[in-house]
Amino acid sequence: MMDPQELDARLEAAIPAVRAAGRLALEHFLNRDRLAIEHKGQQDLVSIADRAVEDLLRRELNALFPEDAILGEEGGGEDAPRSWVLDPIDGTFNFLKGIPCWGVVAAYVVDGRTLIGITYDPVHDELFTARRGGGAFRNGTPIRVSGNTSVDTSCLALAYSFRQPKETYVGLVKQALDQGFEHRRMGSTAIQLCWVADGRCDGIATLLCSSWDVLAGLILVEEAGGRATDFLGAYGLLGKGGIIACTPALAPELEAVSGLVLPR
Ligand code: IPD
Ligand code: CA
Ligand code: CA
């Protein structure tokens, strides 16, 4: 097990790499009319920006931590005992449409546990960081989940992928409304998790996601005092599945909405 000082040193070393990746992504965002867009699947877009940003992150992290493995959405990778898990642009659809809600994501996983999470929103220059046991931060300032205790004043962030049957998402929205939640779907699961950690939203539910979408945000929510699905325990690094995360008092209602159970 790595000691906290060593993890803090890794976090500090990785931050400039993620910020550099964010600056490159932002350059592409501001010149996105020049990007050739490819379709990976139904409503699933990708461009050279995703690959260029992941390549930069891989180069930088590999130079810093040559002994660590890297798993990235675009370049793939294996399940290894020590891995950096990367989503170069989470919210690619927004990115390519010019909607300013997307982020660059890196999580550090050791023996099936996320120990570091870094999510950078370059448009708003918001850097969200967490180290296991070390708290959650936005640009170095500590953040907390909302502390909301009432569904009647709470907002649930949702996400949907066209890889899911549409009925499952329609069912999720109906359950959320039946429970009395207001809801939003911003198009970047990673950024929405940061907003839960920062108290802007009270909870999040998505019924299908990958490790690179959520690991950095789930540790951030936990370190901000919230409760969150153990993605790695449930599905493993290469698996896919549903997650929820929220301010603690809303856990029973969110479990009822999603059909997912939080760790006790
Ligand atoms: C997507 C976003 C979105 C979610 C999709 C993801 P991408 O990631 O997180 O919020 O609904 O399922 O695929 O493709 O932009 O990296
Ligand atoms: Ca993603
Ligand atoms: Ca992506």
Side-chain angles (χ1 to χ4, degrees):
M1 190 64 187
M2 272 183 207
D3 61 48
Q5 288 77 13
E6 193 179 344
L7 279 173
D8 282 338
R10 278 178 177 256
L11 171 60
E12 288 311 313
I15 284 173
V18 176
R19 279 192 174 276
R23 282 195 299 275
L24 176 63
L26 186 60
E27 251 174 70
H28 282 297
F29 181 70
L30 297 174
N31 297 290
R32 66 194 166 278
D33 48 330
R34 296 189 209 146
L35 292 172
I37 299 171
E38 291 166 39
H39 292 241
K40 287 206 278 193
Q42 190 190 6
Q43 295 289 4
D44 192 2
L45 307 178
V46 70
S47 79
I48 186 114
D50 300 73
R51 299 198 182 102
V53 173
E54 183 167 320
D55 287 350
L56 184 152
L57 270 176
R58 280 177 181 269
R59 268 197 315 278
E60 298 275 325
L61 293 173
N62 198 36
L64 288 166
F65 315 114
E67 70 285 7
D68 293 339
I70 296 181
L71 170 70
E73 182 184 8
E74 305 305 332
E78 311 269 299
D79 193 344
R82 289 181 175 204
S83 303
W84 289 92
V85 183
L86 311 177
D87 192 337
I89 298 174
D90 185 78
T92 291
F93 191 88
N94 285 348
F95 180 96
L96 292 172
K97 297 281 182 190
I99 298 169
C101 183
W102 51 272
V104 176
V105 189
Y108 186 52
V109 175
V110 178
D111 295 331
R113 241 181 140 214
T114 309
L115 299 184
I116 288 172
I118 309 173
T119 307
Y120 185 40
D121 167 353
V123 173
H124 302 98
D125 191 26
E126 289 189 329
L127 180 82
F128 295 91
T129 56
R131 186 264 291 164
R132 180 76 59 196
F137 298 86
R138 179 193 359 91
N139 293 342
T141 300
I143 54 173
R144 300 291 296 169
V145 292
S146 71
N148 201 342
T149 56
S150 166
V151 171
D152 289 347
T153 55
S154 64
C155 182
L156 185 58
L158 300 176
Y160 173 67
S161 153
F162 272 76
R163 290 180 291 271
Q164 298 168 242
K166 58 182 179 297
E167 293 74 17
T168 58
Y169 181 68
V170 173
L172 185 67
V173 174
K174 181 176 184 316
Q175 290 293 334
L177 291 171
D178 286 350
Q179 283 283 335
F181 281 103
E182 173 58 291
H183 68 281
R184 295 284 185 275
R185 180 172 163 227
M186 272 74 78
S188 167
T189 305
I191 293 294
Q192 291 180 127
L193 277 159
C194 295
W195 292 3
V196 174
D198 206 3
R200 295 171 185 172
C201 294
D202 303 286
I204 181 169
T206 175
L207 298 179
L208 187 71
C209 57
S210 301
S211 57
W212 46 79
D213 300 314
V214 294
L215 292 185
L218 291 171
I219 183 177
L220 189 78
V221 172
E222 288 184 294
E223 289 297 322
R227 294 185 59 192
T229 299
D230 173 8
F231 183 97
L232 294 171
Y235 317 112
L237 199 56
L238 303 177
K240 291 183 193 300
I243 61 102
I244 51 177
C246 61
T247 193
L250 299 177
E253 286 88 349
L254 187 51
E255 289 182 328
V257 164
S258 62
L260 297 170
V261 177
L262 287 162
R264 300 290 154 201

